[in-house]
Amino acid sequence: MSVRSDYIWLDGEFVPFDDAKVHVLSHTLHYGMGVFEGIRAYEQPDGKAGIWRAEEHLRRFLDSLKMMRWATPWSLDQLIEACLETLRINKFDSAYLRPLAFVGEGAMGLGARGNKLHVVIAAWHWGAYMGDEGLRNGVRMQTSSFTRHHPNAALQRAKVVGHYVNSILARYEANENGFDEALLLDGHGMVAEGTGENVFVIRNGLIKTPPTANILPGITRECVIDIARYEGIPLQETPFGRDAFYAADEAFMCGTAAELTPIRELDRRQVGEGGRGPLTERIQKLYMDGVRGKVPWLAEGITKV
Ligand code: PMP
């Protein structure tokens, strides 16, 4: 995977890729106080790029900043336009977009509040996050020995740079143990989310997913809920333990990067038939077609370049 592009948007200007550098004393680099987003743009039937649910992503970006007590002069509309411009200037017909707000150099120390908040938007080509094989046949997960932060330890509903150390520890552990991805439980032992995905289980035609009180309110998750509602598939947002996977007929995870990836195994226990279940496949197809402008009722979520 190459993260290269011609230009990166930095504080309102387009900077050539190799010149988009930061100072080593940038505050975020030391302490992790920054927020980011992950957005995908897909090629639409007219051959041009369309950003999937741009408004929801950039609203979450601004909400994350607000929760961290930081503010940016950039408005929602300006950020959406900056994402569109980033696609245009780089001539991308599909891309992963990465807005990031980080605190620059100046004062050090945890209480520093006066440093400049920079906003960056980068874009690159990013294929299937869990691999094409993962999308087709599902991935193997392991319940992590790392717990998701307690709600009084971090504001998990915000997409904060520093929160991802918890995710990375879980991901390294799962990978070193031979699994593709980790499943994180919360402090009560209930299922929270993947390291960068929300999770769903299906049993007897009923889909269940944990509520978003203390996990990232995923935009892909919201789309799955919209699809279930539109298709008349029962879905509950309710807490459950890891045992729900052990007894499930099907399971899947979803996120902007991971899109909709079946889970075929948790903790060396096969989920259902151990592949991509029929309901998962149906929702996955609607999602994959929807983001590409092929499902009329989902097309309003697309912002065309
Ligand atoms: N949970 C976490 C921890 C994530 O990092 C992500 C990816 N942003 C998700 C869930 C899924 O969110 P979305 O569908 O908005 O990408």
Side-chain angles (χ1 to χ4, degrees), residues 129-151:
Y129 182 64
M130 301 304 297
D132 291 323
E133 159 73 14
L135 284 178
R136 249 191 326 273
N137 295 322
V139 294
R140 300 175 58 243
M141 281 185 113
Q142 182 181 39
T143 305
S144 188
S145 72
F146 293 97
T147 302
R148 256 296 177 247
H149 296 293
H150 186 276

Side-chain angles (χ1 to χ4, degrees), residues 8 16 43 50 63 90 110 121 135-136 151 155 173 196 202 209 215 230 241 251 254 276-277 287 289-290:
I8 289 178
E43 187 176 341
D63 285 347
N90 287 301
L110 302 181
I121 301 171
L135 284 178
R136 249 191 326 273
L155 307 178
E173 178 191 56
I202 306 174
T209 193
I215 58 173
Y230 191 88
C254 73
R276 174 172 60 182
Y287 180 76
D289 286 347

